[in-house]
Amino acid sequence: MNLADLNKIALAMVTPGKGILAADESSGTIKKRFDAIGVESTEENRRDYREMLFRSTEAMSKYVSGVILYDETIWQNAKDGTPLVKLIEQAGSIPGIKVDEGTQALPACPGELVTVGLDKLAERLKKYYDRGARFAKWRAVIDIGQGIPTTTAIHVNAHALARYAALCQAAQIVPIVEPEVLMDGGHDIDRCYEVTRQVLNTVFRELFVQRVELEGMVLKPNMAVSGKKSPKQASVQEVAEKTIHLLKACVPAAVPGIAFLSGGQSDEEATAHLDAMNRIGGLPWKLTFSYGRALQAAPQKAWSGKAANVAAGQRAFTHRAHMNALASKGAWETGLEKKVA
Ligand code: 13P
């Protein structure tokens, strides 16, 4: 492993003014997104949609440091035969790859999940590296509910995340370590804070045990937020302050950067939260975005599967990427949202 090179890539991924586009929806997830806009989820439509994003030259070159791809996409070519990976590289952005293989029920822990995909991962990483991937992603899912999460679920998921991260670094690929505490429940922000604290502490202990170099990784956590069904919704400022407090307590300064998931927040909420955190300032790591839904909901709607709407889709994507890029520097203002093209 060459740690200096891993560190260089990790720093590039979290460059202030840029962030990561999570375009790694599995076939099942992208079908759900396409269903919502009335588009059939064929291989060609998935390709056309992602090609539209990666050919958004302004967004990709100015605001997007890296793109997380799904296995199907990393092997796909654009309509003119150019590999989609090349489009990303030509725009000056870094290709990355989701390498987990989704979740399975965790035995003896009803309602809880463990992320799988470690078998043969070393071999797969080599193929992805040869295709151009310089970073990877593995998502663990922790749900909050009555009696959950169990320490068992937190522990097995943290263990798998660290196994994955160590294998990535051995393959000269920067691991994005993503332990996502879901915001689906009726819990309040303090419960989210407490569960996320336990999860992050367990994850960093496992990373240490498994000799993962913190300088060569990026953390992708949830923010401390109120559950979607909670009657008590925390303000933007409270989310920002509690999330920073939590991360300062749990994330070593050696980690180059933190790139948040959006997790079901609205587009503007996700931007406002990131902006408010960066306005607090004085942080040991860079804070940016690695959004899926909060970057893509608008372009998906504008595109709606029609070739005639490609320019509108690209405008919508560029706008969201721009807003989040400003938030990564604490320079976003709500008034800028009205200037959508
Ligand atoms: P969301 O921003 O839609 O949560 O997606 C980010 C991601 O990559 C989840 O794994």
Side-chain angles (χ1 to χ4, degrees):
M1 181 214 312
N2 181 333
L3 184 55
D5 284 353
L6 286 177
N7 179 248
K8 222 187 278 174
I9 291 166
L11 284 169
M13 289 161 67
V14 296
T15 308
K18 289 191 176 193
I20 298 165
L21 164 63
D24 60 322
E25 299 85 359
S26 64
S27 301
T29 302
I30 197 76
K31 182 179 180 313
K32 269 193 253 162
R33 308 279 182 262
F34 278 14
D35 283 350
I37 52 169
V39 175
E40 197 189 342
S41 185
T42 62
E43 190 175 339
E44 196 182 350
N45 284 343
R46 293 193 291 271
R47 191 276 310 275
D48 288 350
Y49 168 65
R50 286 164 172 150
E51 180 174 350
M52 171 184 84
L53 297 180
F54 308 158
R55 283 196 193 275
S56 302
T57 321
E58 187 188 345
M60 291 293 295
S61 59
K62 284 190 173 159
Y63 311 129
V64 177
S65 58
V67 181
I68 317 175
L69 301 168
Y70 184 58
D71 180 75
E72 175 184 271
T73 320
I74 202 170
W75 305 110
Q76 269 176 333
N77 294 332
K79 222 170 205 138
D80 69 1
T82 313
L84 292 179
V85 180
K86 284 276 167 284
L87 294 185
I88 295 167
E89 288 169 348
Q90 282 161 9
S93 188
I94 309 168
I97 180 78
K98 167 195 175 81
V99 300
D100 69 68
E101 294 177 328
T103 54
Q104 286 182 359
L106 182 61
C109 294
E112 296 193 285
L113 300 170
V114 59
T115 302
V116 297
L118 288 169
D119 289 350
K120 308 254 167 56
L121 180 55
E123 289 92 323
R124 287 164 55 218
L125 286 169
K126 193 176 171 335
K127 288 187 196 138
Y128 289 140
Y129 184 93
D130 291 343
R131 184 72 175 173
R134 292 297 175 267
F135 69 92
K137 174 191 124 171
W138 178 288
R139 172 175 175 258
V141 188
I142 302 291
D143 204 358
I144 298 180
Q146 193 136 45
I148 62 170
T150 59
T151 51
T152 312
I154 294 174
H155 202 254
V156 294
N157 276 293
H159 184 268
L161 272 169
R163 286 270 292 132
Y164 139 83
L167 286 165
C168 283
Q169 291 190 336
Q172 205 53 38
I173 287 180
V174 171
I176 292 183
V177 173
E178 181 181 6
E180 174 172 5
V181 176
L182 297 176
M183 61 180 287
D184 297 338
H187 53 275
D188 65 11
I189 186 171
D190 293 326
R191 175 113 165 93
C192 176
Y193 179 105
E194 191 45 37
V195 170
T196 308
R197 191 171 75 92
Q198 284 182 27
V199 168
L200 290 176
N201 281 330
T202 310
V203 166
F204 279 99
R205 188 165 61 236
E206 278 299 325
L207 292 171
F208 171 72
V209 168
Q210 299 190 42
R211 305 183 180 198
V212 173
E213 300 282 3
L214 300 185
E215 292 86 349
M217 64 163 272
V218 169
L219 179 71
K220 177 164 174 167
N222 54 283
M223 301 173 195
V225 289
S226 318
K228 264 196 198 155
K229 297 187 204 120
S230 169
K232 218 172 80 198
Q233 291 294 314
S235 67
V236 169
Q237 199 53 29
E238 187 178 0
V239 167
E241 283 169 15
K242 289 193 168 159
T243 304
I244 293 298
H245 192 265
L246 168 66
L247 294 173
K248 277 190 171 170
C250 302
V251 184
V255 173
I258 296 173
F260 292 101
L261 58 94
S262 61
Q265 298 178 33
S266 75
D267 296 1
E268 211 171 313
E269 266 169 6
T271 306
H273 288 152
L274 178 62
D275 183 69
M277 284 187 261
N278 277 308
R279 280 177 193 267
I280 291 172
L283 308 172
W285 358 255
K286 304 283 185 285
L287 282 192
T288 190
F289 57 93
S290 176
Y291 294 161
R293 281 162 285 182
L295 271 176
Q296 295 186 66
Q300 278 163 6
K301 214 167 145 213
W303 172 64
S304 289
K306 297 193 177 69
N309 293 339
V310 163
Q314 290 178 329
R315 273 199 304 277
F317 174 50
T318 306
H319 176 72
R320 278 281 33 98
H322 184 202
M323 295 298 102
N324 286 305
L326 288 171
S328 76
K329 299 188 288 188
W332 172 82
E333 277 161 35
T334 184
L336 295 167
E337 291 292 345
K338 305 209 170 68
K339 296 183 188 154
V340 195

